[in-house]
């Protein structure tokens, strides 16, 4: 029985199901990706980039359809779904426009008479294992740079994203990506392991939990394959003395509940100086009060969307209830709807003890967890006291003060006076249990590439 389905999280209704691939279908897909790579890599980088730009154009043309698809699949509001399609489009277009220059060979000095060049060559078929929280954006930042480079893509999407997975494949085909250049796979965990082990496949990229990353990373290491792992996060938002507490609280709340709080680099720990803590929490409580469950495709002004699935909502509810049992205070929200839907009301949680299990966990849902500190050093120590290291932000009226703290964050991304700067040209990735490797921006072209030495003697 296949787990691949479209299941409306607003109702629990299964709308569509998809057959899991047979082993023979998986073999055929790997064979096509391998054969196509030999031809795709021989096309000019400009030709590949032009096709990728056409992919971006088709994303824009089909924006409404694409947005409605993921609203139904994983509960994203229509407005946020449109935002995601537009962001994915910008990433694809970025690599279509800038990819050729980022893949250019360059000369390096040599003490041996002759010319030493570093070429940036494709490596071959790649496997992407993608999550449900951003069905298009995650695929775009993996697939677009690698298609421009000349790699071919095998894409295993989340089991609740079957329709969007097939739609992306269709757009790739319509844009001119050859059949073996990009293929959607409805694969099992066992089949994923066999693909990683296949000597024809040259690398794997996973976005998911750190538990999944440990499994995929182990499989990749055992088979000597390059891996990029973008995993979880408990990103800190450090708030020092700020002039407009209400605005900073609103910025923090808006990003924390964006996409139902199901964002890897969401500001999951708000670390607030005692001089502004009470006002900050009071503002969060105002923002979290009076919210009502709404239809993702027709969201009321004070509405909130469901999480991606009933199981996801139940997990977040269980985490919050455990935190309360360990001594935390649920200030507002945190109500799991008593039906088969995935609605969980956005919550504000305070008083989570650092000696509790809850302190170490990632809350992958709309829960703003707030901590009080009494100094900059305490804020920094708390921010770095995490198994994860994706991103982090520091807010202060004194920018230099904020920069000093931000410069000492143990993360892959730091931000000053903005929760998270996100754009096609800005690299994304973390350290510690948040994984390794970078996507987007110039660094996104550097992961699955053969930086080959070319030497011509005099």
């Amino acid at each position: 029985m296949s787990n691949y389905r479209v299941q409306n999280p607003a109702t629990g209704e299964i709308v569509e199901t998809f057959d899991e691939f047979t082993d023979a279908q998986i073999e055929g897909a790997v064979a096509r990706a391998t054969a196509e790579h030999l031809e795709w890599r021989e096309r000019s980088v400009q030709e590949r980039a032009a096709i990728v730009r056409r992919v971006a154009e088709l994303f824009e043309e089909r924006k409404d359809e694409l947005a409605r698809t993921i609203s139904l699949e994983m509960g994203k509001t229509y407005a946020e779904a449109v935002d995601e399609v537009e962001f994915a489009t910008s990433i694809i277009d970025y690599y279509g426009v800038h990819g050729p220059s980022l893949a250019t060979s360059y000369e390096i000095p040599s003490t041996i008479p002759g010319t030493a060049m570093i070429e940036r060559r494709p490596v071959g078929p790649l496997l992407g294992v993608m999550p449900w929280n951003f069905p298009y954006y995650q695929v775009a930042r993996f697939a677009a740079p690698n298609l421009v480079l000349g790699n071919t893509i095998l894409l295993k999407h989340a089991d609740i994203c079957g329709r969007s997975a097939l739609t992306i494949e269709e757009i790739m085909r319509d844009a001119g990506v050859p059949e073996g250049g990009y293929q959607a796979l409805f694969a099992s965990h066992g089949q994923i392991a066999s693909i990683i082990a296949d000597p024809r496949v040259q690398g794997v990229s996973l976005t998911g939990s750190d538990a999944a990353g440990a499994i995929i990373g182990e499989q990749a290491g055992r088979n000597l394959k390059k891996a990029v792992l973008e995993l979880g996060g408990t990103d800190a938002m450090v708030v020092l003395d700020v002039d407009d507490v209400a605005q900073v609280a609103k910025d923090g709340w808006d990003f924390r509940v964006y996409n139902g709080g199901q964002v890897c680099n969401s500001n999951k720990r708000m670390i607030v100086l005692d001089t502004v803590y009470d006002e900050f929490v009071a503002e969060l409580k105002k923002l979290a009060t009076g919210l009502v469950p709404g239809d993702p495709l027709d969201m009321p002004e004070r509405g909130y969307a469901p999480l991606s699935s009933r199981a996801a909502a139940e997990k977040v509810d269980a985490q919050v209830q455990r935190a309360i049992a360990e001594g935390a205070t649920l200030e507002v929200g945190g109500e799991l709807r008593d039906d088969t839907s995935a609605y969980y009301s956005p919550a504000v949680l305070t008083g989570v003890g650092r000696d509790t299990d809850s302190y170490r966990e990632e809350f992958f849902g709309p829960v703003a967890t707030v901590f009080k500190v009494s100094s900059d050093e305490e804020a920094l120590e708390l921010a770095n006291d995490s198994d994860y290291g994706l991103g982090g932000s520091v807010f202060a009226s004194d920018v230099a003060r904020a920069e000093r703290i931000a410069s000492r964050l143990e993360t892959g991304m730091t931000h000053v006076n903005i929760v998270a700067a996100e754009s096609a040209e800005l690299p994304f990735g973390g350290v510690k249990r948040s994984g390794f490797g970078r996507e987007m921006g110039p660094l996104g072209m550097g992961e699955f590439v053969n930086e080959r030495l070319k030497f011509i003697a005099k």
Side-chain angles (χ1 to χ4, degrees):
M1 178 180 173
S2 175
N3 289 319
Y4 287 90
R5 69 209 179 275
V6 173
Q7 186 168 10
N8 186 349
T11 64
E13 176 194 6
I14 295 178
V15 179
E16 188 176 8
T17 59
F18 307 88
D19 291 335
E20 212 165 83
F21 277 24
T22 64
D23 290 347
Q25 287 175 298
I26 294 292
E27 165 57 30
V30 174
R32 284 190 295 274
T34 304
E36 185 53 53
H37 166 64
L38 299 178
E39 297 184 14
W40 185 241
R41 71 183 184 184
E42 295 305 318
R43 301 197 196 190
S44 72
V45 67
Q46 288 81 11
E47 183 181 354
R48 294 192 299 263
I51 291 172
V52 169
R53 287 200 303 275
R54 180 59 184 152
V55 173
E57 291 173 357
L58 292 178
F59 261 72
E60 176 63 30
E61 289 175 16
R62 297 177 66 170
K63 179 164 57 179
D64 177 70
E65 172 201 350
L66 290 167
R68 289 179 181 278
T69 296
I70 57 174
S71 284
L72 178 63
E73 280 184 338
M74 53 76 60
K76 198 186 299 281
T77 69
Y78 179 74
E80 290 183 357
V82 169
D83 283 345
E84 183 187 340
V85 177
E86 291 176 343
F87 195 9
T89 302
S90 72
I91 293 167
I92 298 166
D93 187 66
Y94 170 84
Y95 286 110
V97 172
H98 298 285
S101 62
L102 295 173
T104 301
S105 301
Y106 59 94
E107 186 174 355
I108 59 172
S110 172
T111 58
I112 300 173
T115 302
M117 302 288 296
I118 301 298
E119 297 181 302
R120 300 172 63 82
R121 298 291 300 157
V123 294
L126 305 173
L127 172 65
V129 182
M130 296 292 112
W132 44 259
N133 57 334
F134 289 96
Y136 304 126
Y137 156 72
Q138 302 284 1
V139 172
R141 66 190 204 176
F142 165 62
N146 284 301
L147 285 171
V148 173
L149 278 168
N151 297 319
T152 52
I153 304 297
L154 298 160
L155 202 293
K156 187 274 181 200
H157 219 317
D159 56 12
I160 63 172
C161 294
R163 178 47 50 197
S164 58
L166 290 176
T167 305
I168 296 169
E169 183 184 57
E170 180 183 298
I171 287 175
M172 292 284 183
R173 203 79 71 248
D174 290 348
V177 177
E179 183 182 355
Y182 182 99
Q183 299 172 83
L185 309 181
F186 293 157
S188 67
H189 292 305
Q191 289 170 332
I192 290 302
S194 70
I195 294 170
I196 295 171
D198 194 306
R200 295 170 292 184
V201 175
Q202 298 303 309
V204 56
S205 177
L206 166 82
T207 297
S209 68
D210 57 324
I215 294 169
I216 295 294
E218 180 183 4
Q219 293 169 350
R222 190 185 309 128
N223 291 285
L224 300 179
K225 301 292 175 69
K226 173 70 181 286
V228 168
L229 303 177
E230 196 276 279
L231 310 177
T234 56
D235 289 17
M237 174 188 178
V238 175
V239 181
L240 306 175
D241 290 315
V242 292
D243 294 330
D244 193 341
V245 176
Q247 184 59 57
V248 174
K250 185 178 187 308
D251 290 345
W253 176 256
D254 287 348
F255 196 71
R256 184 64 192 100
V257 300
Y258 186 79
N259 201 42
Q262 301 163 124
V263 182
C264 295
N265 64 321
S266 181
N267 48 328
K268 300 185 179 85
R269 295 179 299 146
M270 302 184 187
I271 300 169
V272 185
L273 202 63
D274 52 10
T275 55
V276 295
Y277 176 86
D278 289 342
E279 184 181 354
F280 188 90
V281 172
E283 291 295 332
L284 290 183
K285 289 169 69 174
K286 282 184 201 173
L287 294 164
T289 299
L291 303 180
V292 295
D295 179 352
L297 290 172
D298 188 20
M299 189 59 60
E301 186 177 345
R302 296 286 291 167
Y304 64 90
L307 301 193
S308 62
S309 67
R310 180 69 184 185
E314 289 177 349
K315 179 179 179 180
V316 173
D317 182 55
Q319 288 179 296
V320 170
Q321 293 305 314
R322 184 169 73 167
I324 294 168
E326 292 172 337
T329 299
L330 180 62
E331 302 282 353
V332 63
E335 295 181 4
L336 178 65
R337 196 166 178 179
D338 186 20
D339 55 20
T340 59
S341 73
Y343 286 97
Y344 183 81
S345 62
V348 177
L349 195 64
T350 61
V352 174
R354 292 180 64 177
D355 59 346
T356 66
D357 292 335
S358 299
Y359 174 77
R360 292 284 164 192
E361 289 185 345
E362 177 184 24
F363 286 68
F364 211 63
V367 181
T369 306
V370 195
F371 299 86
K372 183 194 290 189
V373 293
S374 58
S375 69
D376 292 16
E377 282 299 318
E378 185 184 0
L380 176 66
E381 193 274 329
L382 181 57
N384 284 336
D385 183 22
S386 172
D387 300 327
Y388 299 95
L390 191 52
S393 58
V394 184
F395 287 76
S397 299
D398 181 344
V399 174
R401 177 187 181 188
E403 278 192 274
R404 283 195 297 272
I405 299 299
S407 70
R408 296 167 65 192
L409 292 175
E410 297 167 356
T411 61
M413 303 174 285
T414 65
H415 303 84
V416 172
N417 290 337
I418 183 172
V419 182
E422 296 182 295
S423 186
E425 70 276 6
L426 302 179
F428 188 103
V431 296
K432 299 198 279 190
R433 290 194 69 84
S434 291
F436 43 78
R438 294 295 181 267
E439 294 183 306
M440 303 207 297
L443 302 186
M445 290 284 286
E447 294 293 349
F448 297 104
V449 62
N450 175 12
E451 293 180 310
R452 186 172 68 183
L453 170 66
K454 176 182 178 181
F455 193 91
I456 304 171
K458 280 188 178 177

